[in-house]
Amino acid sequence: MKKLGIIGCGWLGNHIAEKLSDRYEIFATTTSQSKIEDFTSKGYHPTLVSFPDEVSETMIAWEMAPQLDSIIITVPFSGIRGAQVSMKERQENLLRFLGDYKGQLFLMSSTGVYPETEKEFTEDDQPAENVPSESFIASRFPQVNILRLAGLMGDQRLLKNYNISGLDLLVNHIHYADICSVVEKMLDNQSQSKVYNVVAPVHPNKEEVINAQKDLPYEGERTNTGRTISASKLISDLDFEFQYPDPRYFHL
C-alpha cells in the first residue's frame, strides 16, 4: 500500500484522509495532542508538530518523509482570506520539516490570491512565482502541485449557517468532496508542477445560495457580473466532473 502524508490534518485533511485511507497508509501531522489518539484509532500514523510564526530552532526534517509517496500540505500560508501577509518564519519551518523531499507534493492555496476585481480569473492571471505564499515552496520543490481552493463548504459548512453580508455578490465555493476527488485523480495521474483553481463552476449570488439551502424561493434577478474564479483548466486537464457543481445544492 502506498504511503500518503498530510501536513496539518484539520477539517479538510480529515476528509481527504477518510476518502483515501482504503488505498493509502495515512501519516498525518497535527498541532493537537488530543487528536493523536483519534488519528491512531482510525489507523493513521500521527506526528505532533506545529509551524509557529517564528523560526523554530528545534525544527528538524520529518523522519517519515523519505518513505512517503506523496505529501499534501494544508497548513495556511496566505493569511486570513488569502491576504498576502508575510509568513516567512512559518514558511521556513515547513521547508525544514520537508527536508529534501523528492516525492509528489501538493500545496493547498487559496483563490484569495486573486484581486477583488469584477472579472473572471484564470491561473494565468496570477503565476505562482508572483505569489509569496506559493513561490516559497515552488522555488524549493518545483514538482509541487498548487491547488487554489475556493471557499470550503460541505457538511455543516453551509452559507445559511453564517451571518453573511453582501448578498448580491457572486460566490466562489467548493465542496470538500470535490477537492478530495481532484486530489485522488492527481495522485493516480502522478501529476507534477500543476496549478489549478479548485472551484465549483456555477457562481450564484449569496442570497440565491442561502435561499436554496433554506428551501426558500429566490425572487431576485440572476447577475452575471462580478468576481469569479474559473475552473476551466482543471476540468479540461483532468477531464473532471464535479459532484457538486452548484453551491446552491451543497446541502443535498
Side-chain angles (χ1 to χ4, degrees), residues 8 18 40 51 66 101 146 150 181 189 205 208:
E18 288 170 9
T40 302
F51 301 94
Y101 183 68
I146 296 170
S181 296
N189 291 351
N205 69 32
E208 284 183 89

Side-chain angles (χ1 to χ4, degrees), residues 28-229:
T29 82
T30 177
T31 60
S32 171
Q33 181 67 50
S34 62
K35 286 186 178 178
I36 296 291
E37 188 175 329
D38 179 48
F39 286 172
T40 302
S41 70
K42 293 177 178 178
Y44 307 161
H45 306 279
T47 296
L48 188 67
V49 64
S50 62
F51 301 94
D53 290 330
E54 61 277 343
V55 173
S56 171
E57 298 302 329
T58 59
M59 182 66 69
I60 59 173
W62 194 7
E63 186 180 18
M64 277 307 306
Q67 302 176 45
L68 302 177
D69 297 282
S70 305
I71 292 177
I72 299 168
I73 302 161
T74 65
V75 178
F77 290 97
S78 57
I80 297 173
R81 298 190 183 279
Q84 291 301 305
V85 297
S86 177
M87 292 190 172
K88 282 188 75 70
E89 286 79 12
R90 183 182 293 188
Q91 294 168 2
E92 186 59 38
N93 288 328
L94 175 73
L95 294 176
R96 286 192 188 188
F97 190 65
L98 287 171
D100 61 350
Y101 183 68
K102 299 291 194 298
Q104 189 185 28
L105 190 60
F106 294 81
L107 175 70
M108 297 303 181
S109 183
S110 164
T111 54
V113 302
Y114 299 109
E116 291 292 335
T117 305
E118 289 197 4
K119 64 165 282 186
E120 182 181 61
F121 287 97
T122 70
E123 292 84 351
D124 291 338
D125 289 313
Q126 193 69 289
E129 58 264 27
N130 296 343
V131 181
S133 59
E134 297 174 351
S135 62
F136 85 96
I137 194 165
S139 60
R140 177 82 68 89
F141 300 95
Q143 79 269 31
V144 69
N145 297 300
I146 296 170
L147 303 185
R148 293 172 174 168
L149 308 181
L152 301 180
M153 294 290 169
D155 285 342
Q156 295 306 306
R157 288 194 180 194
L158 298 172
L159 210 58
K160 70 174 183 177
N161 295 333
Y162 297 90
N163 185 16
I164 299 297
S165 60
L167 294 178
D168 59 327
L169 297 177
L170 302 184
V171 303
N172 295 282
H173 287 169
I174 183 68
H175 195 287
Y176 74 81
D178 283 316
I179 301 174
C180 294
S181 296
V182 167
V183 169
E184 184 174 34
K185 198 154 195 176
M186 293 179 73
L187 286 168
D188 291 345
N189 291 351
Q190 283 296 298
S191 300
Q192 302 238 347
S193 308
K194 303 296 185 183
V195 179
Y196 291 131
N197 296 329
V198 186
V199 53
V202 180
H203 304 276
N205 69 32
K206 294 179 183 179
E207 187 176 4
E208 284 183 89
V209 174
I210 292 169
N211 282 22
Q213 292 173 354
K214 290 183 174 180
D215 261 345
L216 298 172
Y218 175 67
E219 308 293 347
E221 291 185 19
R222 166 65 70 90
T223 177
N224 294 314
T225 60
R227 176 182 178 274
T228 59
I229 313 298

